[in-house]
Amino acid sequence: MDEQKNIPRVVLVGLASCFGCQINITNVEAHLMEVLGQVDMRYWQLTSSEPMPDAFDVAVVEGAVTTEDAAETLRRVREKARAVITIGACAATAGIPGMAAAAYEGRAAQVYGSAVPAIIDDIACRPRPVSDVIAVDYEVPCCPIDPYDFVRVLQKALYGANPYERTSTLCGECKRNERGCFYGRGIMCLGLVTRQGCGARCPDLGRPCNGCGGVSVDANVEGARRVAQRSGIDPARFDKALEMFNQVPREVQR
Ligand code: SF4
Ligand code: SF4
Ligand code: SF4
């Protein structure tokens, strides 16, 4: 907290990501200006070439952890921040960078043969979510994030409100939108096992869910495979689709 002005100091850090969630934040200019008026934005990696400052109150983190350097940055962030918010699937589940997790072993040897530079072992690590390295207080899920969801969660963090853990699967939200189910048409949708919170926005737009919200702790994955099979979908295809955002085991995610 800036003692003189009583304004929370915020930093926004990017790890392994496409920076799409950071960019998406800029898509809600009107609300953003309201929120930015409440904070002292000390560092925004996307817009700054300065190093991260030493003192701040709230840290927003985008991206997966793929290097030891990133893990060290997170530990520093956790030491200083009273609240840590992750934004996007990359930070929450390792997301797209996490797709490299299963094939991580031996990848350097595939590229460098028998002459793997020692520095590769020093800097690279298996992709993992932020919560596998430090405790996370709040999370804005999905790929990309909903910027309005970000504004809402940031305000909670600023005022120290209790985080709300979303656990149910997406189907409830989808039903509230009064949409039919893709499975009735033999089309695979990962909403059966994906955490609610996005308002089932893809099914609402006529597209099946691809699981970017992460697997719900309440999900019955085995039951979902059976539903897929009954609709003529090979359960192996269901598993493969689920890997896109959920390579890292659920217990390692938040
Ligand atoms: S969650 Fe998606 S949009 Fe956000 S940084 Fe990762 S890949 Fe990009
Ligand atoms: S499986 Fe998909 S389309 Fe069907 S109810 Fe769930 S979210 Fe909606
Ligand atoms: S419907 Fe599924 S894929 Fe679409 S934003 Fe929500 S969680 Fe992500």
Side-chain angles (χ1 to χ4, degrees):
M1 194 78 73
D2 184 316
E3 297 299 337
Q4 284 180 331
K5 298 185 205 149
N6 213 22
I7 296 176
R9 299 159 300 180
V10 176
V11 294
L12 208 164
V13 181
L15 305 179
S17 69
C18 77
F19 278 43
C21 288
Q22 290 189 58
I23 288 170
N24 217 18
I25 290 172
T26 63
N27 285 335
V28 281
E29 305 88 357
H31 293 272
L32 193 62
M33 294 320 287
E34 273 171 35
V35 173
L36 290 184
Q38 300 171 41
V39 303
D40 177 358
M41 198 72 197
R42 284 288 168 103
Y43 175 71
W44 188 335
Q45 192 166 345
L46 189 66
T47 61
S48 169
S49 46
E50 296 296 312
M52 187 169 71
D54 275 339
F56 46 86
D57 305 295
V58 175
V60 181
V61 181
E62 176 198 69
V65 185
T66 56
T67 64
E68 284 308 328
D69 193 43
E72 192 44 44
T73 299
L74 284 180
R75 287 183 205 108
R76 258 195 316 134
V77 158
R78 186 68 272 184
E79 248 172 50
K80 316 265 179 201
R82 73 171 154 76
V84 174
I85 307 170
T86 61
I87 56 169
C90 295
T93 68
I96 300 295
M99 290 171 85
Y104 183 76
E105 294 307 333
R107 178 54 60 89
Q110 278 174 9
V111 176
Y112 295 100
S114 57
V116 179
I119 194 166
I120 297 289
D121 280 340
D122 290 346
I123 61 173
C125 61
R126 184 187 297 274
R128 50 198 169 138
V130 170
S131 59
D132 196 38
V133 180
I134 59 166
V136 171
D137 303 298
Y138 303 88
E139 184 185 290
V140 186
C142 294
C143 172
I145 56 163
D146 175 343
Y148 294 100
D149 201 16
F150 169 72
V151 169
R152 193 179 54 74
V153 172
L154 178 61
Q155 280 179 319
K156 277 180 139 189
L158 294 178
Y159 296 116
N162 288 337
Y164 168 59
E165 193 76 40
R166 297 147 164 166
T167 58
S168 309
T169 58
L170 201 69
C171 297
E173 286 184 325
C174 186
K175 292 298 104 192
R176 282 194 288 280
N177 293 340
E178 300 187 350
R179 299 284 178 189
C181 180
F182 283 110
Y183 284 96
R185 291 187 273 146
I187 298 170
M188 181 170 64
C189 175
L190 299 184
L192 278 180
V193 295
T194 299
R195 210 164 20 152
Q196 58 126 305
C198 69
R201 69 179 176 219
C202 296
D204 203 33
L205 291 168
R207 296 192 302 252
C209 170
N210 65 12
C212 80
V215 176
S216 156
V217 289
D218 291 346
N220 178 348
V221 179
E222 199 41 55
R225 284 191 191 107
R226 285 198 295 275
V227 169
Q229 196 159 29
R230 274 206 303 273
S231 301
I233 296 157
D234 182 351
R237 226 185 100 213
F238 183 91
D239 292 344
K240 191 73 198 154
L242 203 56
E243 282 177 7
M244 182 152 86
F245 286 102
N246 296 283
Q247 273 283 347
V248 176
R250 175 66 213 167
E251 51 281 12
V252 178
Q253 300 172 25
R254 185 162 177 251

